[in-house]
Every structure is written in C-alpha cells, then in structure tokens.
Amino acid sequence: MQMSPIVLRQPTPILQDLPTRRSLHVAIISDGNGRWATSRGLPRSAGHRAGAQTARRIISAAPGLGIRTLTLFALSSANWKRPPAEVTAILRLLHEYLLTETSNCVAEGVRLSIIGRRDRMPATLRDAIADSEAATANGTRLHLRMAVDYSAREAIFHAACRFYKVTKLSPDSFSDVLSEVLRGGSTDVDLLIRTGGEQRLSDFLLWECAFAEFVFTSQRWPDFTVDDLQAALREFDNRERTRGALPDAIAG
Ligand code: FPP
C-alpha cells in the first residue's frame, strides 16, 4: 500500500443531500465470466476477454447515463486462490486495456484510477497504470476506478493503522485516509450492481457501500448490456433512499 502524507479536509455532516441522478457513483461486481465461457465450451480466459469487451461498452455509456464515478471489480485479492494462469490472463487484459484505451479515455474526459494493491503486479503493469493515471488525470466526465488486487477489508485495515496517528478524528477524515490508501478516492456508492446471480458483496467497497442500493441480476457479465444498466438505474430511481430517516410520505 502507498504511504504518503495524510491531508485531512474539514469534517462535514455525515448526512449529506441525496445524490442527483447527474452525479451517481455506480459500482459493479462483474461476475459470471467463467460460467459464460464454460457454458460455451470455451476456456475461462475467453470469458474474461468477453468481459473486458462488456466493460468497454459500459464505460463508454456511463457518462451519458448520469454516472460520474464507475468502479469495476476487475480482480479481487481473493482471486489469487485461482490458478496462476487465470490471474495472469486477467492482469494481461488490464494491461491491454490500458495500452489501447488510454488515449480514448483522454479524448472522452475519463479519469482512470486503479484501486488496490500494486506490489504483486508485474512492474511493467505498474508502469502502465502510472502512465494511464497521469495521462487521464484531467478527465472530468467520468471517474473510472478499476479495483485490481483489491480487498475492502485490507484497505480498511491499512487505513485504520494509519488513522491511529491522526489526531482530528471523524468519519470523513477516516474516508480521507482510506482514500489515500486506495489512491483512487473513497466516495460513497449510490448503486451497486452484481451480475452472475450471486447476492453477496465479496469484500468489495465495504465502507463505501454503507448506504448503497443493491441490484442483483442473473445476467452473466459478458451478456450484460447498456439496456441492462439502464434497467438497473430505473430500479434505483424507484427506490426511496432514507439513510435512516423516515420516508417522505411518513415524515410529512
Ligand atoms: C468474475 O467472473 C470476474 C472476474 C474475476 C474478473 C473480471 C474481469 C474482467 C471483467 C476483465 C477485466 C476488465 C478489464 C477492462 C481489464 P468469474 O470468473 O468469477 O466467473 P464465474 O463466477 O462464472 O466463475
């Protein structure tokens, strides 16, 4: 994890205005690549390749749908339990994505951040990440965060260790420390989508999902379309987000 000086902002109230549709943070657990491939008699890596294509389509559509931050779960720290060849294939896809898409990201105003550990990645990939992050740093239409070798528990643990040394304590300043640990920020998630039929969080954005709405779909990630994303956003729009307060109809 990166160690750098901690800069804290002033504490702000925990209850913030409800986010507007214009600046949503959507996080996606892109599950089901392996089953998609296996059901077609293909190697699992073919599912991840198809999944990367889906990611491209969703990233491209996101800003037009009012999404301002999109966090995609590309590789969990728990995925190291998989065969090395599969993990290597996913890291290669990420490298390929960075090499082919960075200029498009710059042209489309997409700022790219990778959240998660970098010390277990090949040095060439770390360099490509640094180059892409530097090249896209001024993008304002979409903040694209890819979670790679990411574990929310581990990030929170590291932030807690650093937070121990901070004197002005508040939930917001903890978020700032977590943001430093992750490098790519730590903003609240509005909508979490999980494809592939499972209904669990799998160590993804545990802190940031405190008030998130969840949409689970049985679609496998390679089959997930922009229409499916729009359907999830419609479902999100129909939910009343109270954050612990009373619903409007009861509060009067
Ligand atoms: C979960 O499917 C998916 C992953 C572990 C990897 C996700 C990777 C991508 C979407 C490609 C990376 C994207 C870019 C743009 C670099 P699974 O393998 O757990 O599927 P299963 O549950 O069917 O086995």
Side-chain angles (χ1 to χ4, degrees), residues 20 39 50 66 73 82 90 104 108 167 176 202 208-209 239 245:
T20 65
S39 67
F73 208 174
R82 295 186 179 196
I90 294 171
N104 284 342
E108 292 181 13
T167 47
D176 286 342
S202 299
E208 296 85 345
C209 279
R239 302 222 184 135

mmCIF file of all heavy atoms in Angstrom, residues 20 39 50 66 73 82 90 104 108 167 176 202 208-209 239 245:
data_model
loop_
_atom_site.group_PDB
_atom_site.id
_atom_site.type_symbol
_atom_site.label_atom_id
_atom_site.label_comp_id
_atom_site.label_asym_id
_atom_site.label_seq_id
_atom_site.Cartn_x
_atom_site.Cartn_y
_atom_site.Cartn_z
ATOM 1 N N THR A 20 -27.991 13.448 -6.853
ATOM 2 C CA THR A 20 -28.873 13.547 -8.007
ATOM 3 C C THR A 20 -28.433 12.515 -9.022
ATOM 4 O O THR A 20 -27.307 12.034 -9.006
ATOM 5 C CB THR A 20 -28.779 14.936 -8.660
ATOM 6 O OG1 THR A 20 -27.464 15.058 -9.170
ATOM 7 C CG2 THR A 20 -29.074 16.040 -7.661
ATOM 8 N N SER A 39 -20.058 -22.523 -20.337
ATOM 9 C CA SER A 39 -21.315 -22.956 -20.951
ATOM 10 C C SER A 39 -21.209 -22.971 -22.481
ATOM 11 O O SER A 39 -22.048 -23.548 -23.165
ATOM 12 C CB SER A 39 -22.471 -22.058 -20.514
ATOM 13 O OG SER A 39 -22.297 -20.759 -21.047
ATOM 14 N N ALA A 50 -14.243 -11.621 -23.077
ATOM 15 C CA ALA A 50 -15.578 -11.106 -23.419
ATOM 16 C C ALA A 50 -16.026 -10.090 -22.363
ATOM 17 O O ALA A 50 -16.667 -9.078 -22.672
ATOM 18 C CB ALA A 50 -16.573 -12.268 -23.514
ATOM 19 N N GLY A 66 -25.606 9.684 -16.639
ATOM 20 C CA GLY A 66 -25.539 10.420 -15.365
ATOM 21 C C GLY A 66 -24.607 9.783 -14.353
ATOM 22 O O GLY A 66 -24.633 10.134 -13.172
ATOM 23 N N PHE A 73 -15.059 -4.097 -10.501
ATOM 24 C CA PHE A 73 -14.245 -5.077 -9.771
ATOM 25 C C PHE A 73 -13.564 -5.986 -10.797
ATOM 26 O O PHE A 73 -14.174 -6.915 -11.322
ATOM 27 C CB PHE A 73 -15.166 -5.905 -8.865
ATOM 28 C CG PHE A 73 -14.502 -6.446 -7.622
ATOM 29 C CD1 PHE A 73 -15.268 -7.101 -6.660
ATOM 30 C CD2 PHE A 73 -13.154 -6.287 -7.383
ATOM 31 C CE1 PHE A 73 -14.685 -7.597 -5.492
ATOM 32 C CE2 PHE A 73 -12.567 -6.778 -6.214
ATOM 33 C CZ PHE A 73 -13.337 -7.432 -5.270
ATOM 34 N N ARG A 82 -7.050 -18.565 -7.307
ATOM 35 C CA ARG A 82 -7.320 -19.235 -8.592
ATOM 36 C C ARG A 82 -6.004 -19.681 -9.233
ATOM 37 O O ARG A 82 -4.930 -19.224 -8.840
ATOM 38 C CB ARG A 82 -8.053 -18.269 -9.528
ATOM 39 C CG ARG A 82 -9.405 -17.907 -8.995
ATOM 40 C CD ARG A 82 -10.179 -17.068 -9.987
ATOM 41 N NE ARG A 82 -11.486 -16.763 -9.429
ATOM 42 C CZ ARG A 82 -12.498 -16.328 -10.122
ATOM 43 N NH1 ARG A 82 -12.400 -16.122 -11.420
ATOM 44 N NH2 ARG A 82 -13.653 -16.066 -9.539
ATOM 45 N N ILE A 90 -6.108 -12.233 -16.531
ATOM 46 C CA ILE A 90 -6.881 -11.022 -16.181
ATOM 47 C C ILE A 90 -5.952 -9.805 -16.124
ATOM 48 O O ILE A 90 -6.280 -8.731 -16.638
ATOM 49 C CB ILE A 90 -7.631 -11.229 -14.841
ATOM 50 C CG1 ILE A 90 -8.701 -12.316 -15.012
ATOM 51 C CG2 ILE A 90 -8.286 -9.932 -14.386
ATOM 52 C CD1 ILE A 90 -9.358 -12.767 -13.711
ATOM 53 N N ASN A 104 -8.286 7.000 -25.751
ATOM 54 C CA ASN A 104 -9.742 7.213 -25.804
ATOM 55 C C ASN A 104 -10.246 7.852 -24.520
ATOM 56 O O ASN A 104 -11.125 8.721 -24.546
ATOM 57 C CB ASN A 104 -10.486 5.874 -25.982
ATOM 58 C CG ASN A 104 -10.380 5.365 -27.396
ATOM 59 O OD1 ASN A 104 -10.051 6.123 -28.299
ATOM 60 N ND2 ASN A 104 -10.644 4.082 -27.582
ATOM 61 N N GLU A 108 -12.254 11.253 -24.256
ATOM 62 C CA GLU A 108 -13.634 11.244 -23.740
ATOM 63 C C GLU A 108 -13.755 11.813 -22.327
ATOM 64 O O GLU A 108 -14.813 11.741 -21.709
ATOM 65 C CB GLU A 108 -14.189 9.813 -23.778
ATOM 66 C CG GLU A 108 -14.387 9.323 -25.201
ATOM 67 C CD GLU A 108 -14.958 7.913 -25.269
ATOM 68 O OE1 GLU A 108 -15.432 7.415 -24.236
ATOM 69 O OE2 GLU A 108 -14.904 7.335 -26.355
ATOM 70 N N THR A 167 -4.921 12.988 14.656
ATOM 71 C CA THR A 167 -5.489 13.493 15.911
ATOM 72 C C THR A 167 -6.950 13.937 15.781
ATOM 73 O O THR A 167 -7.739 13.698 16.681
ATOM 74 C CB THR A 167 -4.651 14.672 16.444
ATOM 75 O OG1 THR A 167 -4.405 15.559 15.367
ATOM 76 C CG2 THR A 167 -3.355 14.182 17.040
ATOM 77 N N ASP A 176 -10.935 10.048 4.208
ATOM 78 C CA ASP A 176 -9.775 10.660 3.548
ATOM 79 C C ASP A 176 -8.549 9.756 3.642
ATOM 80 O O ASP A 176 -7.799 9.607 2.675
ATOM 81 C CB ASP A 176 -9.452 12.024 4.179
ATOM 82 C CG ASP A 176 -10.448 13.083 3.759
ATOM 83 O OD1 ASP A 176 -11.142 12.877 2.756
ATOM 84 O OD2 ASP A 176 -10.524 14.118 4.443
ATOM 85 N N SER A 202 -18.688 -9.812 -1.386
ATOM 86 C CA SER A 202 -17.366 -10.350 -1.715
ATOM 87 C C SER A 202 -16.219 -9.382 -1.448
ATOM 88 O O SER A 202 -15.332 -9.202 -2.291
ATOM 89 C CB SER A 202 -17.339 -10.803 -3.189
ATOM 90 O OG SER A 202 -18.287 -11.808 -3.404
ATOM 91 N N GLU A 208 -17.669 2.078 1.575
ATOM 92 C CA GLU A 208 -18.334 2.999 0.663
ATOM 93 C C GLU A 208 -19.775 2.585 0.345
ATOM 94 O O GLU A 208 -20.564 3.378 -0.163
ATOM 95 C CB GLU A 208 -17.542 3.103 -0.653
ATOM 96 C CG GLU A 208 -16.137 3.697 -0.512
ATOM 97 C CD GLU A 208 -15.077 2.656 -0.132
ATOM 98 O OE1 GLU A 208 -15.450 1.537 0.311
ATOM 99 O OE2 GLU A 208 -13.885 2.970 -0.263
ATOM 100 N N CYS A 209 -20.124 1.326 0.614
ATOM 101 C CA CYS A 209 -21.478 0.836 0.291
ATOM 102 C C CYS A 209 -22.438 0.951 1.472
ATOM 103 O O CYS A 209 -23.535 0.379 1.429
ATOM 104 C CB CYS A 209 -21.430 -0.626 -0.175
ATOM 105 S SG CYS A 209 -20.976 -0.789 -1.906
ATOM 106 N N ARG A 239 -36.372 3.644 -6.019
ATOM 107 C CA ARG A 239 -36.179 3.364 -4.590
ATOM 108 C C ARG A 239 -36.146 4.676 -3.812
ATOM 109 O O ARG A 239 -35.592 5.661 -4.280
ATOM 110 C CB ARG A 239 -34.863 2.621 -4.385
ATOM 111 C CG ARG A 239 -34.838 1.330 -5.179
ATOM 112 C CD ARG A 239 -34.255 0.229 -4.373
ATOM 113 N NE ARG A 239 -34.172 -0.962 -5.191
ATOM 114 C CZ ARG A 239 -33.105 -1.758 -5.242
ATOM 115 N NH1 ARG A 239 -32.041 -1.464 -4.512
ATOM 116 N NH2 ARG A 239 -33.098 -2.831 -5.992
ATOM 117 N N ALA A 245 -33.414 8.034 7.882
ATOM 118 C CA ALA A 245 -34.503 8.967 8.219
ATOM 119 C C ALA A 245 -35.833 8.319 7.862
ATOM 120 O O ALA A 245 -35.874 7.198 7.337
ATOM 121 C CB ALA A 245 -34.305 10.269 7.460
#
